Amino acid sequence: MAVKSLFLSLLSVLAVVTPLTSASTFTPLRPPAIPLAVRSPYLSTWLNGDSGGILPGSWPRFWADQIVGWQGLIRVDNVAYNWMGDYNGPAHVTQTSFEYTSTQSIFTFDVAGKVTLTATFLSPVHPNDLLLQSLQMSYLQLSVKSADGSAHDVQVYSDVSGEWASPDHSQALNWGNGINNGCAYHRFALANQVELREDADMAKWGMWLFGTDYRTGRFVDNGTLDNSESTTFRAISDSWPVFALAVDLGSVSTGAQEVLYSIGVVQEKVITFQGDSDGLEELAGLWTTHYSIPEDSFAAFHNNWDQELHDAQTLDAKVHNDAFEAGGQDYASLTTLAVRQAFGGLQVAHGTRQDYIFLKEISSDGDIQTVDVIFPAHPIFLYFNPELLKLILDPLFENQESGHYPNPWSIHDLGFFPNADGFPEGNDEAMPVEECGNMIIMTLAYALRSGNTQYLEQHWPLLDQWAQFLVNDSLIPDSQLSTDDFAGRLANQTNLALKGIIGVRAMADVAKYSGTANADVASNTYLQTAQDYISKWQGYGINTASTPPHTTLAYNDNDSHGLLYNIYADRLLGLGLVPDSVYEMQSAFYETIMEDFGIPLDTRHDWTKSDWEIFAAAVASDSVKAEIIERVVKMVEATTSGRPLTDLYDAATGNFPVDGNHFMNRPVVGGFFALLALPK
Ligand SMILES: *[C@@H]1O[C@H](CO)[C@@H](O)[C@H](O)[C@H]1NC(C)=O
Ligand SMILES: *[C@@H]1O[C@H](CO)[C@@H](O)[C@H](O)[C@H]1NC(C)=O
Ligand SMILES: *[C@@H]1O[C@H](CO)[C@@H](O)[C@H](O)[C@H]1NC(C)=O
Ligand SMILES: *[C@@H]1O[C@H](CO)[C@@H](O)[C@H](O)[C@H]1NC(C)=O
């Protein structure tokens, strides 16, 4: 078998060849960064854009930019070539194509005109299977076949470095290897494990596993690994130990031969949570309910490839077809790119009362369960399976209903990932109208799509409290932050007020479906209030004198304007609160302020956000919808940011905002599914 950590035995036989040039196609387009292994906040490995989208010649990176050494070599007729990573020596293969789907990144290479190599990085997404979704593991499948009709002698090789385990390269590692259920694997971990803590967004705990199929046979010949293992445990950067797996395919002809690798991290505990217990609970990874040791969960994942590939292809086709039908190829390109990034923000946890899904506000500040990050992301969950949204909302309800939050409005987040410890002092980042509106809208959306109206009854008292706050504060919102907190506080925000008023209107339906005591009276009261507010809101928030008329950024600021993305919830919930004339007015106005890469968020900056662009597009006229989608695609293709897709960018340049935040890899791209989450 082929398990060892000594890199040199293969490389010492390499010939030095002049690098070949690469001219690759990119289908449907070249993302700013290409997802390689993206399953969770901790398994998030990308090929950054400075590679030009070419796999050999650059080190893969963790989303936060740390190098995670992942090398790939192929040896054809005794000559080695590099197909992934930046190991200096062997010639690079020629990348001929790249293609992505919702779950896969597929690279095809020409190897010296002799063989064709395909590397498929598959990160499964399981909206309907929490256990499979909880596994922080990903596949790399290699397929090799003759390109010139002749048979060739082929070996493939891949290794990973200790860099996957920590950004601090002075940290000591320990490691081992074995064979489990036909999976030959390396395992490695930090010697100093610190559970439930991060270092520069990487986990300070857990065991990493890298494996392939165990095979017997031709592994002792030249060009293969010698199965030796260094037992000198040492630091990540101390001679850079790597964990290598090579497979000798022997003679490869025109029939494709395949090799499967799996990579992942396994953690016993995944989240701390302040729920309705007195103290903090440490929640386990869901895998612990099915497997006794990490290696078993890893081998089960590895051996499930056939089913996983089938499931992935089914999901890929569904997303493509639905999106293509709803918004054409540009829209399919966006939704397809969003899937792994959105699900890669999630962590499934097992509690004593129930299972939960936690969400990391990746890159903006690492908060956990941020209500106004869940909100932009939530269309993808409604589309795939509304129960996912419930499992994300549950921790927020449980924390606040058990008396662990003192304010009358909704909490903003539960702490810093992976610690959902709550804010018993109420000193979270206050976004009162924003989060009350978001919680009511998402709770009703979940109940409508799932049919679970009992959920509304269960949470009626808290929903009613938040709605009372909105009745008090939504029509004339005080100076406060909206979700776009990078733009600062402002009083009387027109778009924010609309969210609050839609929240009040939504409560009329929450009351009706909840079957709570005096539901009819409550429902009617909320309805009357919302209708009164929406007519006043039009008076305050619309500049009727300008040509064309439009909503303002803030009341009484006639020269201002803003993207009215909160109007989306009116259609999402089928409320019919906002008159059609307002939708039509905004579409006509957007035509006049469209920049090269989209509509600016408001008149304070040229900044915009791709998630809100698509929210606005979803309820715009057909022509404006198409124009917005086209511009967001243009940003994805043109941005000079080579990092995992941002949501915040400059509408004039398509790049990160100058003097603004550099967001990336945020799960909010789930909002690209806004068109698909609308009622049919
Ligand atoms: C190849 O294998 C033969 C026999 O096992 C050995 O004598 C020779 O040194 C090996 N060559 C290399 C380059 O490893
Ligand atoms: C709403 O305003 C009323 C009257 O000022 C006040 O009594 C009530 O506590 C407020 N409710 C909330 C939830 O803020
Ligand atoms: C907010 O708008 C209302 C209605 O136009 C106005 O009476 C109030 O003065 C405004 N508040 C601020 C702080 O501008
Ligand atoms: C703003 O525009 C409205 C018409 O929409 C007009 O009635 C009002 O006087 C204007 N306010 C200012 C301060 O110019």
Side-chain angles (χ1 to χ4, degrees), residues 316-503:
D316 290 349
K318 177 179 158 55
V319 172
H320 177 84
N321 295 340
D322 290 349
F324 190 86
E325 193 180 328
Q329 180 55 51
D330 276 347
Y331 186 55
S333 302
L334 289 179
T335 48
T336 301
L337 184 59
V339 173
R340 279 170 286 177
Q341 180 167 326
F343 279 82
L346 306 182
Q347 185 77 279
V348 183
H350 175 64
T352 49
R353 290 171 297 279
Q354 64 166 97
D355 297 331
Y356 306 93
I357 298 177
F358 289 88
L359 176 145
K360 181 171 182 177
E361 183 182 339
I362 289 180
S363 90
S364 30
D365 63 5
D367 286 352
I368 186 167
Q369 234 62 0
T370 313
V371 175
D372 62 291
V373 171
I374 298 168
F375 182 76
H378 89 284
I380 197 172
F381 306 126
L382 290 179
Y383 167 74
F384 276 118
N385 178 5
E387 297 304 326
L388 298 170
L389 180 57
K390 173 185 179 291
L391 295 173
I392 295 171
L393 297 177
D394 281 344
L396 289 158
F397 279 118
E398 188 178 326
N399 174 272
Q400 293 172 85
E401 286 169 346
S402 58
H404 290 106
Y405 186 66
N407 297 323
W409 54 80
S410 163
I411 203 166
H412 169 272
D413 64 85
L414 288 177
F416 289 104
F417 198 92
N419 307 119
D421 300 353
F423 289 90
E425 310 296 326
N427 54 347
D428 53 327
E429 181 185 4
M431 291 185 189
V433 171
E434 179 77 51
E435 310 304 26
C436 288
N438 287 339
M439 286 301 295
I440 293 169
I441 291 164
M442 290 192 288
T443 303
L444 179 58
Y446 160 69
L448 292 175
R449 297 297 185 276
S450 67
N452 180 5
T453 52
Q454 198 273 325
Y455 197 66
L456 303 176
E457 186 182 2
Q458 181 188 346
H459 299 298
W460 171 261
L462 193 55
L463 292 167
D464 191 45
Q465 174 189 313
W466 291 334
Q468 288 301 322
F469 179 81
L470 291 178
V471 168
N472 287 1
D473 221 63
S474 67
L475 179 60
I476 309 288
D478 287 342
S479 176
Q480 62 191 285
L481 296 175
S482 80
T483 180
D484 304 313
D485 55 357
F486 44 82
R489 302 166 71 93
L490 190 64
N492 280 335
Q493 297 180 60
T494 305
N495 184 51
L496 180 66
L498 181 60
K499 173 168 285 169
I501 297 166
I502 290 173

Side-chain angles (χ1 to χ4, degrees), residues 607-608 646 648-650 653-663:
W607 304 345
T608 195
T646 186
L648 176 62
Y649 65 96
D650 187 310
T653 66
N655 298 329
F656 278 141
V658 176
D659 302 328
N661 294 346
H662 291 195
F663 292 172

Side-chain angles (χ1 to χ4, degrees), residues 32 105 135 141 248 298 426 429 442 494 511 533 544 576 644 676:
S105 293
L135 299 178
Q141 192 221 39
D248 186 350
F298 184 70
E429 181 185 4
M442 290 192 288
T494 305
Y533 283 8
T544 53
L676 296 173

